[in-house]
Amino acid sequence: MSKLPVSVYIICQNEAQHIRRVLESVKEFDEVIIVDSGSTDETLEIAKEYTDKIYHQKWLGFAGQKEYAKNLCTNKWVLNLDADEQLTPELKNEIEETIKENSIDGLDIKISSQYLGEFNHPLSKFNRRVRFFRKAKGYYPEKLVHESIVVDGKVKKAKGFIYDYGTLDLETHLSKINAYSSLRAQEKAQKGKKASVLKLVTIFPLAFFKSFVIKRGVLNGMRGFIAATNNAYYAFLKEAKLYEKNREKRK
């Protein structure tokens, strides 16, 4: 069977626990690019079972690292996956049809995240990201965290989705919240943003309401309540850390 003419690119570091899953899910793709930033576990040994296109690159930040990996791809169509994700068969078929039809430039794909051992209710709202696109049409704007592809062309919402296994437990989630909120605060401070007292006071309840009600986290029961609370805490931390940086700058 001929392989799909798509380059898959994955950035990673110490993802031995997950990377076999994602690589198994893209075995039918023509090219798999791995860009590692210094793994000390078995990540690279596992990766070598699936591809010989493995590169080392000192960490450039999320956007920079993914742009570097994307530029190593040799096919016209590219797919970005994280090492802790998995391509679903439904999405693979949709990618195949998109290539055949050749009428759009990218797919905006739902990310279904596992949280406290379960995936979210199918009627809850999922985050979406452009992950599959024509290489020549997409690029990563400079961002310290929450990087996303900008596509100069027509993008369609995909019906299929990607599984995300990255949040294994609450300790992992809280660790990410702490790290990502620091990066977002740093990014805002570099752009000259000022913390708002009003936002500091209101951001937690508003973010909780958005996550639990508007995004229908309530359908996930207690898991949804815990996730909404942590998401609200993340929103609060971003503003609180920006406030801290503003104070430091005034000293």
Side-chain angles (χ1 to χ4, degrees):
M1 189 172 99
S2 60
K3 293 197 172 186
L4 284 174
V6 176
S7 294
V8 181
Y9 61 99
I10 300 167
I11 65 170
C12 63
Q13 184 181 30
N14 292 334
E15 291 286 358
Q17 186 172 9
H18 296 290
I19 198 166
R20 186 180 298 279
R21 183 192 300 116
V22 69
L23 292 174
E24 279 287 332
S25 74
V26 296
K27 288 194 298 186
E28 296 174 26
F29 288 72
D30 174 61
E31 181 178 58
V32 177
I33 302 287
I34 302 288
V35 175
D36 184 79
S37 53
S39 290
T40 56
D41 62 5
E42 296 178 351
T43 296
L44 298 183
E45 285 70 21
I46 296 170
K48 288 173 184 175
E49 298 176 29
Y50 296 86
T51 180
D52 60 356
K53 297 189 175 181
I54 299 173
Y55 303 84
H56 174 78
Q57 172 59 49
K58 186 178 178 181
W59 186 243
L60 300 170
F62 287 102
Q65 198 80 351
K66 288 192 176 182
E67 184 69 19
Y68 175 84
K70 186 205 75 176
N71 290 335
L72 293 170
C73 297
T74 61
N75 284 296
K76 293 180 180 179
W77 290 96
V78 296
L79 170 68
N80 172 234
L81 292 170
D82 291 342
D84 55 15
E85 294 178 336
Q86 181 182 25
L87 182 75
T88 59
E90 296 81 6
L91 182 57
K92 183 188 76 69
N93 292 336
E94 198 166 356
I95 287 172
E96 189 171 9
E97 287 302 313
T98 299
I99 295 171
K100 287 178 181 177
E101 292 174 4
N102 200 33
S103 60
I104 63 172
D105 301 297
L107 288 176
D108 187 21
I109 302 166
K110 290 183 291 186
I111 313 295
S112 180
S113 301
Q114 189 182 66
Y115 196 75
L116 294 180
E118 296 180 39
F119 287 98
N120 287 345
H121 192 284
L123 294 180
S124 60
K125 286 192 175 181
F126 296 92
N127 291 326
R128 281 186 171 272
R129 298 285 186 272
V130 175
R131 294 293 196 86
F132 174 72
F133 56 97
R134 296 182 197 268
K135 179 185 172 184
K137 293 280 190 174
Y139 72 97
Y140 290 91
E142 275 298 323
K143 290 186 74 175
L144 293 180
V145 70
H146 300 316
E147 73 294 339
S148 58
I149 274 286
V150 173
V151 174
D152 181 20
K154 185 178 179 181
V155 174
K156 174 183 173 183
K157 285 189 176 181
K159 295 178 182 178
F161 54 90
I162 292 168
Y163 283 135
D164 170 22
Y165 295 85
T167 306
L168 293 173
D169 49 39
L170 290 177
E171 183 177 357
T172 302
H173 193 197
L174 290 170
S175 177
K176 288 182 177 182
I177 284 172
N178 190 42
Y180 291 176
S181 59
S182 293
L183 290 172
R184 284 293 288 139
Q186 179 183 337
E187 192 171 62
K188 286 184 177 183
Q190 288 174 349
K191 293 179 179 179
K193 301 282 186 179
K194 302 296 182 184
S196 161
V197 174
L198 178 62
K199 193 171 182 180
L200 268 169
V201 173
T202 61
I203 191 64
F204 191 100
L206 290 175
F208 177 87
F209 182 80
K210 179 181 179 182
S211 181
F212 197 58
V213 179
I214 296 177
K215 289 193 171 183
R216 304 173 194 149
V218 63
L219 296 175
N220 299 310
M222 186 54 69
R223 290 189 310 109
F225 177 82
I226 293 171
T229 302
N230 282 342
N231 291 339
Y233 179 54
Y234 171 57
F236 172 77
L237 272 185
K238 288 187 291 183
E239 197 67 16
K241 288 180 179 181
L242 177 60
Y243 174 79
E244 180 183 45
K245 286 187 175 296
N246 292 160
R247 283 179 58 86
E248 289 173 352
K249 192 173 181 179
R250 291 197 296 268
K251 290 180 180 180

